[in-house]
Each structure stands twice: as C-alpha cells, then as structure tokens.
C-alpha cells in the first residue's frame, strides 16, 4: 500500500538553534501551512517552539 501525500512525514526543528529535530506526520487538509509545536529540547533542557522545515 503506497503512502499518500495527505499525511506526509515532516521534520520539526528547534527554534533555540540547537539543531535538535523531531520527526512526525501531519494532515495537510487540517494544517496546510507550516506546523509549530511547543516541545522539549533535551540539549538545553527546556520546552521551546519547534517549526516545520521543508
């Protein structure tokens, strides 16, 4: 079964500049623009914003 492009795999990169990333999937129909989530960055041991990179 082929993967469709409705739920692509995206990378979330930390805005703190540490280079830490999370990999997740998103629904393009519900979130057509870039995704921003507040997640934990273990290199600086804080919650920061993670933005979708393309």
């Amino acid at each position: 079964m082929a993967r469709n492009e409705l739920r692509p795999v995206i990378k979330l990169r930390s805005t703190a500049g540490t280079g830490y990333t999370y990999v997740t999937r998103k629904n393009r129909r519900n979130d057509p623009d870039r995704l921003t989530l507040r997640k934990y960055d273990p290199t600086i041991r804080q919650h920061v914003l993670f933005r979708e990179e393309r």
Side-chain angles (χ1 to χ4, degrees):
M1 193 165 155
R3 301 223 182 245
N4 60 1
E5 288 301 311
L6 189 62
R7 292 191 67 87
V9 175
I10 60 166
K11 270 184 164 180
L12 297 171
R13 184 168 299 273
S14 174
T15 57
T18 58
Y20 193 79
T21 59
Y22 281 99
V23 178
T24 187
R25 293 179 163 274
K26 80 166 190 175
N27 190 335
R28 265 187 223 243
R29 196 170 289 155
N30 296 339
D31 301 311
D33 32 329
R34 290 196 185 183
L35 195 61
T36 304
L37 295 175
R38 194 163 185 266
K39 294 182 79 66
Y40 183 72
D41 191 340
T43 37
I44 59 171
R45 290 185 257 160
Q46 288 181 352
H47 281 81
V48 294
L49 280 178
F50 279 73
R51 272 205 194 97
E52 174 184 349
E53 76 171 12
R54 295 200 171 135

